[in-house]
Amino acid sequence: MIIKAQNITKIYKNGDIEVKALDNINFCVAEKEFVAIMGTSGSGKSTLMNILGCLDVLTSGNYFLDGQDVSKLKSNQLALIRNKKIGFVFQSFNLLPKMTAFQNVELPMIYANVEAAQRKKIAMDALTKVGLEKRIDHKPNEMSGGQRQRVAIARALVNSPAIIFADEPTGNLDSRSSEEIIKIFQDLNAEGKTIVMVTHESDIAQHTKRIIVFKDGRIMSDAPVENQLMVGENS
Amino acid sequence: MNLTESIKSAIMNVLANKMRSLLTMLGIIIGISSVIMITSVGNGFKKSVSDTFSQMGVEGIKLDIKDDKEIKDSDYFTDSDISFLKQIPDVKYVAPCVMNTCNVNLRTLGNTKMCVVLGSNDELKYASSIKVTSGRFLLSKDVTNHSSVAVIDSLLSRKIFGRENSVGEKIKAKFKNTNLDLTVVGIFESEDVGIASFGMPSYIYVPYTTLLDVSSSQNLDMIRITAYDKNKLDSLATQLVRLLEIRHNTSDKYYAQNSVQTMDTINNTLNMITTFIVFVAAISLLVGGIGVMNIMLVTVTERTREIGIRKSLGATDNNIKFQFLVEAVIITVIGGIIGIIVGYGGGIVIGNIVNIMPSFSINSVIITVLISSAIGIIFGVYPAGKAAKLDPIEALRYE
Ligand SMILES: Nc1ncnc2c1ncn2[C@@H]1O[C@H](COP(=O)(O)OP(=O)(O)OP(=O)(O)O)[C@@H](O)[C@H]1O
Ligand SMILES: [Mg+2]
């Protein structure tokens, strides 16, 4: 199991007001799965992704990532896990605006102390994989949304993470770019990468292998996709 | 993340905001440059003073008569004082000094030049730092024989005879009442005494006995003493003044100038000025440091999202802290280096105006770089710590 979530609960406290964003969540994700997480706005999808991505800590429960209990780790240990085991793709891309595509992709490897020559090779491979080998010296504001998201995916891949989390990766993209992104995810999944992706759109969710639906911080349903749509087949 | 990567990224960020970085550095630049400027000129001045003194015979005592007192004839130093002083055990050399002026014909230009004639004895050679380049200095037999011999400086020789070595030539010296034909027996090196050289007259050394013969009085103007032990200069000076007062049956007419002491006084004054400037500069550095801290805090807030992104990619709190610390240090060190350049530039300009060669040292550069790094660390720690403590999720959400 890559992910094993046991009774995960997350409560936000703002003064006297408490918001139970996640309420006793239990589920597992095995290797090579491609999971879509759906649900209405405010149902707790992002909260879950942040906790699974080790960006946030849970209020109670246990979370095992790749066999390791990460629920009680300190911030520096979490940073190490984020660096080595997790690739994160955000809705808003989250690229550093002053850096080129290449420099953005290189960054996780700098924190992992990979030496420069190897960094260059891996970054070039990752950018080639997402079809941006001709855009390496472009800054984010010189690229389209779809290209930016592809840079972000390349960046998520360079440290060979155990799992990739994507929070509405196509939320800011038109349907054409969305399709490109989904295609990349499907290719990565076919190569054996484990992916968990939040999405609002059910036809995008149909491109994954399993759909978990959230409501008010709980799991409403969790079912495999009967006929996974493959990009390029239907259109 | 290693140091080179941190420095690279820090330099990139400092350069991305050139104007702001420069303004942030301003306090540091002003502080550092003023210290460098003052100390380089001050040290140059000290060096020039000490050079001047060493050329005049630093380890000596000058016995002189106070100008502001009513002087009786019996108060003046005489020939017999010289033999008396020579018997004192701590005294090594005694050189009397009689001053007069004369006019000398310049053979090359056809006109005359006024020269200072110093009457002394052979021991002046040791009581000052006269360097004889050809011929010889005065001998004791010149003094006893009242010989008409002269030792002149090479510049004067050039002026009179058109060449530096004029040993054996004769000078016609016109004094107030008489003329004297002096045979040149030695040439000494013209002194390049830094600031003191400005408007320096030409000197002719003759035996003091010879000079007294053509003078109206038999008084000595001054006596130079060299001691065996230069650590005893202070006590010896007071002792000699007392002994001379007893001999002349007078009081409070003489003073002893100990050249080491004089130099100390000048140095003390200089050190006081330097301390004051350093104090003012320290305040400027403090203000500059606070400026750096202020801008770093603004930078951290502006770059909250960047910090969130870096943390999401695996940057540890220490990575982030180090990054901002390095940026603060880069800013202060660049400020320090600009300060050094501006300070030395200013030192050269001021040095030109007051005619002092400013003194530069590699030590001051190293110390400056260390101090500016320290300022960067001291005032960068708080903003860097603040950046490191940011929560990744909140930082990522920051707009
Ligand atoms: N920092 C916070 N402080 C307090 N409440 C929060 C905080 N973050 C999220 N919440 C609340 O937790 C709940 C779950 O939010 P979350 O962002 O996980 O929803 P979501 O499913 O991702 O919604 P969306 O589809 O709009 O992105 C919401 O009610 C939200 O208001
Ligand atoms: Mg969300």
Side-chain angles (χ1 to χ4, degrees):
Chain A
M1 284 300 152
I2 300 265
I3 287 179
K4 195 166 156 199
Q6 292 178 327
N7 308 320
I8 290 185
T9 298
K10 175 73 183 180
I11 298 170
Y12 289 112
K13 270 194 196 132
N14 275 339
D16 290 342
I17 310 157
E18 283 194 1
V19 179
K20 210 172 209 179
L22 291 177
D23 188 2
N24 225 18
I25 302 291
N26 285 287
F27 76 104
C28 291
V29 174
E31 246 173 86
K32 300 179 187 179
E33 277 202 78
F34 187 7
V35 184
I37 295 186
M38 300 195 67
T40 51
S41 184
S43 57
K45 306 180 298 288
S46 294
T47 305
L48 178 74
M49 292 301 269
N50 291 340
I51 288 173
L52 296 183
C54 291
L55 285 165
D56 209 349
V57 287
L58 39 75
T59 310
S60 68
N62 286 305
Y63 168 32
F64 296 88
L65 175 67
D66 208 10
Q68 184 184 9
D69 185 0
V70 295
S71 20
K72 274 147 202 105
L73 293 183
K74 297 258 159 45
S75 84
N76 275 350
Q77 295 164 308
L78 289 176
L80 194 71
I81 302 237
R82 287 197 293 272
N83 188 236
K84 300 260 176 209
K85 297 228 161 146
I86 295 167
F88 221 113
V89 180
F90 301 89
Q91 178 176 359
S92 52
F93 320 128
N94 280 342
L95 300 175
L96 292 185
K98 282 175 191 153
M99 290 189 173
T100 63
F102 180 82
Q103 288 169 325
N104 267 290
V105 172
E106 204 184 12
L107 203 52
M109 291 185 280
I110 289 178
Y111 288 118
N113 289 320
V114 177
E115 58 159 285
Q118 211 185 341
R119 278 202 314 257
K120 185 168 183 192
K121 188 187 167 296
I122 296 174
M124 284 307 299
D125 286 352
L127 281 163
T128 308
K129 186 165 229 160
V130 297
L132 287 177
E133 65 277 7
K134 296 214 171 70
R135 292 278 188 280
I136 54 166
D137 288 327
H138 288 234
K139 294 200 170 148
N141 63 3
E142 298 159 357
M143 287 187 285
S144 71
Q147 287 169 335
R148 287 183 216 184
Q149 196 61 298
R150 282 190 271 159
V151 174
I153 293 172
R155 180 179 67 183
L157 293 173
V158 287
N159 280 344
S160 315
I163 187 162
I164 293 170
F165 293 111
D167 191 352
E168 298 194 42
T170 60
N172 282 357
L173 303 177
D174 60 23
S175 55
R176 232 191 86 112
S177 305
S178 299
E179 223 169 61
E180 283 171 11
I181 299 300
I182 293 305
K183 170 93 168 67
I184 292 172
F185 278 139
Q186 285 187 331
D187 290 348
L188 289 171
N189 182 238
E191 286 169 23
K193 289 275 177 210
T194 313
I195 301 166
V196 177
M197 175 179 75
V198 172
T199 181
H200 264 121
E201 299 156 72
S202 53
D203 62 319
I204 286 194
Q206 289 302 318
H207 287 78
T208 66
K209 290 175 176 167
R210 172 183 168 194
I211 300 177
I212 302 176
V213 181
F214 272 71
K215 198 184 175 199
D216 298 334
R218 292 170 195 242
I219 294 178
M220 281 276 293
S221 68
D222 182 349
V225 175
E226 301 280 315
N227 291 308
Q228 187 189 11
L229 293 179
M230 297 312 282
V231 175
E233 282 181 0
N234 280 37
S235 46
Chain B
M1 187 163 187
N2 61 32
L3 189 64
T4 6
E5 297 296 339
S6 305
I7 291 175
K8 246 201 278 180
S9 116
I11 288 175
M12 212 175 84
N13 280 313
V14 170
L15 291 183
N17 271 313
K18 285 191 199 71
M19 196 60 198
R20 178 198 280 190
S21 304
L22 193 70
L23 289 175
T24 312
M25 291 169 192
L26 212 55
I28 308 285
I29 295 175
I30 291 171
I32 298 277
S33 62
S34 49
V35 174
I36 295 281
M37 197 159 71
I38 295 302
T39 49
S40 69
V41 174
N43 287 339
F45 183 66
K46 269 190 209 167
K47 196 170 169 306
S48 151
V49 167
S50 89
D51 285 357
T52 308
F53 272 89
S54 79
Q55 252 148 356
M56 290 174 170
V58 169
E59 281 97 38
I61 298 170
K62 197 175 88 183
L63 292 167
D64 209 341
I65 299 172
K66 291 184 180 173
D67 316 323
D68 55 344
K69 292 278 154 45
E70 203 178 302
I71 309 295
K72 292 198 298 263
D73 256 2
S74 66
D75 291 339
Y76 285 104
F77 301 137
T78 60
D79 210 357
S80 66
D81 288 329
I82 303 297
S83 17
F84 165 75
L85 288 169
K86 275 187 187 168
Q87 289 158 11
I88 296 169
D90 285 336
V91 172
K92 195 171 178 189
Y93 297 116
V94 181
C97 209
V98 182
M99 266 193 260
N100 210 327
T101 55
C102 72
N103 281 307
V104 174
N105 280 325
L106 300 184
R107 239 185 250 175
T108 48
L109 296 171
N111 57 356
T112 61
K113 179 183 166 57
M114 196 174 73
C115 299
V116 175
V117 187
L118 292 171
S120 193
N121 60 7
D122 50 312
E123 297 190 7
L124 183 67
K125 193 175 169 181
Y126 311 105
S128 73
S129 63
I130 296 165
K131 275 196 209 98
V132 175
T133 49
S134 32
R136 59 168 176 86
F137 196 65
L138 303 174
L139 303 175
S140 62
K141 73 165 202 260
D142 296 331
V143 176
T144 35
N145 297 342
H146 298 232
S147 318
S148 297
V149 293
V151 179
I152 64 173
D153 82 51
S154 53
L155 240 137
L156 184 62
S157 167
R158 189 176 275 285
K159 278 184 188 141
I160 300 175
F161 303 105
R163 60 194 146 91
E164 280 193 6
N165 187 350
S166 53
V167 174
E169 296 279 355
K170 282 205 164 26
I171 300 175
K172 238 189 208 352
K174 294 188 199 100
F175 290 88
K176 216 188 244 164
N177 302 322
T178 38
N179 289 354
L180 206 56
D181 278 342
L182 296 168
T183 309
V184 178
V185 291
I187 307 288
F188 66 93
E189 203 174 63
S190 289
E191 287 171 358
D192 175 17
V193 287
I195 42 165
S197 70
F198 181 73
M200 275 268 246
S202 300
Y203 287 104
I204 300 176
Y205 289 102
V206 298
Y208 75 99
T209 47
T210 315
L211 190 58
L212 287 178
D213 290 345
V214 299
S215 304
S216 45
S217 84
Q218 290 302 301
N219 303 329
L220 307 180
D221 291 310
M222 192 176 81
I223 301 171
R224 274 180 190 275
I225 305 283
T226 308
Y228 282 103
D229 182 357
K230 63 176 161 182
N231 297 322
K232 280 195 193 153
L233 278 182
D234 267 350
S235 57
L236 183 61
T238 15
Q239 190 199 348
L240 293 181
V241 167
R242 195 129 33 91
L243 287 172
L244 285 170
E245 280 171 351
I246 293 166
R247 263 179 74 81
H248 289 262
N249 192 20
T250 181
S251 69
D252 199 25
K253 295 285 166 62
Y254 307 132
Y255 72 96
Q257 205 178 24
N258 169 348
S259 42
V260 173
Q261 209 177 31
T262 314
M263 220 168 83
D264 283 352
T265 315
I266 294 174
N267 282 348
N268 281 343
T269 315
L270 257 175
N271 286 343
M272 251 165 62
I273 297 171
T274 310
T275 311
F276 176 71
I277 298 290
V278 167
F279 177 72
V280 172
I283 292 175
S284 159
L285 286 181
L286 182 75
V287 174
I290 292 170
V292 170
M293 178 150 98
N294 184 32
I295 293 295
M296 287 310 291
L297 284 172
V298 172
T299 307
V300 168
T301 309
E302 277 178 358
R303 284 161 61 189
T304 299
R305 205 177 157 84
E306 174 193 327
I307 294 164
I309 294 171
R310 286 178 182 272
K311 283 195 160 189
S312 78
L313 299 177
T316 61
D317 295 0
N318 280 338
N319 287 148
I320 301 292
K321 185 186 268 179
F322 194 66
Q323 179 190 345
F324 282 91
L325 212 48
V326 169
E327 270 179 46
V329 171
I330 295 261
I331 286 179
T332 54
V333 167
I334 293 178
I337 290 170
I338 296 177
I340 293 173
I341 296 166
V342 171
Y344 281 162
I348 290 169
V349 170
I350 291 183
N352 263 328
I353 294 168
V354 299
N355 208 4
I356 290 171
M357 183 70 195
S359 139
F360 303 127
S361 69
I362 191 75
N363 272 358
S364 64
V365 173
I366 293 167
I367 291 170
T368 306
V369 170
L370 288 181
I371 287 178
S372 27
S373 320
I375 293 170
I377 291 172
I378 291 168
F379 292 97
V381 154
Y382 176 66
K386 223 180 137 176
K389 279 209 271 308
L390 285 177
D391 178 67
I393 291 292
E394 274 165 33
L396 278 170
R397 251 188 228 134
Y398 187 88
E399 290 299 331

